[in-house]
Amino acid sequence: MLTNKELLETAKKASENAYCPYSLFPVGACALFESGKTYTGCNIENSSYGLTLCAERNAISNAISQGETTKLIKIAIYSPKSKKCFPCGACRQWIQEFADGFNTEIILEGNSSQENLYYINDIFPYSFKLI
Ligand code: THU
């Protein structure tokens, strides 16, 4: 299993692949599942701006489409333009869908050289769930 620091490093590498000619705001994400496997994603923008895909949803989409069936236990998010790149509302809903109960960890780069850690339930309480 990768450490939180390694997850952030992997997210940082993924951010280098971002396609963001409009916002110039690259984001990378690295999702760790209970299986021990990790999946990365970067943001992919589009000239029709609303079609932009965030890094977090790209990473989760990679996981599910590659056959991952275990719970999402951690997701690290990195942007060189923001010390703490919190997931947007849509990505919070996606994270919750595959979360480990309410305890999935959101790992962000901190203001010091240390990473910062949040739980999905704290940043996305009372979420909508069917199952
Ligand atoms: N973005 C992400 O990739 N993840 C987020 O959670 C917030 C925003 C991207 C979308 C867009 O390409 C750029 O950041 C600026 O909004």
Side-chain angles (χ1 to χ4, degrees):
M1 290 258 186
L2 295 186
T3 63
N4 289 0
K5 202 174 158 64
E6 289 168 330
L7 290 172
L8 267 176
E9 273 303 308
T10 311
K12 186 175 186 172
K13 265 197 202 108
S15 75
E16 290 165 13
N17 296 330
Y19 175 75
C20 54
Y22 307 105
S23 73
L24 303 178
F25 190 92
V27 185
C30 181
L32 171 70
F33 285 72
E34 227 162 38
S35 62
K37 290 187 192 159
T38 54
Y39 305 86
T40 58
C42 60
N43 52 333
I44 304 176
E45 298 184 343
N46 193 273
S47 55
S48 178
Y49 298 162
L51 299 181
T52 290
L53 177 62
C54 289
E56 300 90 317
R57 277 177 286 150
N58 194 3
I60 293 171
S61 176
N62 263 336
I64 302 307
S65 57
Q66 285 175 48
E68 184 57 66
T69 55
T70 67
K71 294 291 183 191
L72 172 62
I73 53 178
K74 298 179 181 201
I75 186 163
I77 307 161
Y78 175 86
S79 172
K81 292 282 179 74
S82 156
K83 276 282 175 194
K84 276 193 191 179
C85 184
F86 280 98
C88 77
C91 289
R92 291 177 197 205
Q93 181 72 33
W94 265 59
I95 291 166
Q96 183 61 283
E97 184 71 27
F98 300 101
D100 175 23
F102 295 111
N103 294 321
T104 294
E105 291 177 15
I106 315 290
I107 301 155
L108 310 177
E109 193 171 71
N111 290 325
S112 64
S113 59
Q114 283 186 330
E115 74 271 9
N116 277 330
L117 207 150
Y118 299 83
Y119 292 97
I120 188 63
N121 193 45
D122 292 332
I123 64 163
F124 195 56
Y126 309 111
S127 60
F128 175 70
K129 274 205 147 192
L130 280 177
I131 51 172

